Amino acid sequence: MASDKMIPNATAKRLSLYYRIFKRFNADNIKKANSKQIAEAIGIDSATVRRDFSYFGELGRRGFGYDVQKLMNFFADILNDNAITNVLLVGVGKLGGALLNYRFHERNKMKITMAFDVKENELVGTTTPDGIPIYDISDIKKYIKKTNIETAILTVPSNKAQEVAEILVDAGIRGILSFSPVNLALPKNVVSQYVDLTSELQTLLYFMNHNEN
């Protein structure tokens, strides 16, 4: 496999899409798929598929296509989807509550196993119907030490995002998915991704208007 440093960010962001497509092909009992079929399923061009795959060596043979089950397993390994990844969530508001009720583990091997908020939140000290405990964030170090969790989802107000992110990093978290619209200043060994729902919706509206015009 090619070094992760050699893989462009755009390619890395498509890895989960490739995995999803190969899982779907496998469920449909499709044994082989060519770059055109994969590209059409994702909504990109076949040249991009071939270029992305080239970073990982010989994944298929020209004229023979790609072995669906082999590639499904390959991307599962890359994305660490062969074992359950436990995740914690900070910020049990409306968005955080919705994410707590989203059953990630039924679609992929990711599972929110604990949540945190300030003690003023009446949900602190309770457990969700799925059995996810909600703790006071002041106790976060104590609970993380008892687990192997290294990934967190952040759904807190923007003015609290940096402060909470620093608490998470200090507690041993190495990856943060943030829904707070601020640029987090974190150590280089910590990976963060930002999900901007407003920006995505505005982009969608732009393309809708563009198509109309």
Side-chain angles (χ1 to χ4, degrees):
M1 184 194 307
S3 166
D4 288 345
K5 294 182 180 179
M6 296 171 61
I7 301 171
N9 286 340
T11 297
K13 289 180 179 181
R14 284 191 286 269
L15 297 181
S16 62
L17 297 178
Y18 290 130
Y19 180 41
R20 185 185 308 165
I21 292 304
F22 282 112
K23 283 202 297 183
R24 194 182 81 194
F25 285 167
N26 187 63
D28 291 340
N29 203 32
I30 298 172
K31 304 298 182 184
K32 298 280 186 180
N34 58 39
S35 57
K36 182 180 179 182
Q37 290 172 296
I38 298 166
E40 289 177 348
I42 295 178
I44 57 179
D45 60 88
S46 56
T48 298
V49 173
R50 292 192 295 272
R51 184 172 60 250
D52 285 348
F53 286 10
S54 71
Y55 292 108
F56 302 98
E58 294 294 329
L59 297 184
R61 292 173 57 194
R62 188 175 183 86
F64 289 87
Y66 300 94
D67 184 302
V68 168
Q69 188 169 41
K70 177 182 176 182
L71 268 291
M72 180 183 71
N73 294 334
F74 175 81
F75 285 109
D77 287 339
I78 289 179
L79 297 168
N80 196 31
D81 201 50
N82 288 316
I84 293 291
T85 298
N86 291 326
V87 180
L88 66 82
L89 180 142
V90 181
V92 190
K94 290 183 179 179
L95 177 57
L99 291 173
L100 281 181
N101 292 319
Y102 183 82
R103 298 188 175 186
F104 293 93
H105 60 283
E106 292 183 355
R107 298 163 180 82
N108 295 284
K109 295 185 178 179
M110 296 177 287
K111 186 177 183 181
I112 296 176
T113 55
M114 62 176 71
F116 295 87
D117 209 314
V118 292
K119 61 184 178 181
E120 288 77 14
N121 187 327
E122 60 183 15
L123 293 176
V124 170
T126 67
T127 302
T128 70
D130 284 337
I132 303 172
I134 303 172
Y135 302 119
D136 186 336
I137 194 169
S138 64
D139 295 325
I140 193 168
K141 278 189 179 181
K142 176 178 72 175
Y143 287 107
I144 289 183
K145 283 183 179 179
K146 299 177 182 178
T147 73
N148 62 349
I149 295 177
E150 297 181 319
T151 309
I153 298 173
L154 195 60
T155 57
V156 299
S158 300
N159 63 340
K160 295 292 183 181
Q162 181 65 40
E163 176 186 350
V164 175
E166 291 175 3
I167 292 173
L168 290 170
V169 171
D170 190 47
I173 293 298
R174 297 194 306 115
I176 298 174
L177 179 66
S178 176
F179 285 82
S180 302
V182 292
N183 183 36
L184 299 174
L186 301 173
K188 290 182 179 180
N189 65 324
V190 179
V191 179
S192 65
Q193 293 276 20
Y194 170 49
V195 179
D196 188 343
L197 297 178
T198 300
S199 177
E200 293 295 331
L201 182 57
Q202 288 174 333
T203 301
L204 172 66
L205 294 173
Y206 166 78
F207 283 116
M208 288 171 59
N209 292 331
H210 181 75
N211 285 341
E212 287 179 355
N213 294 330

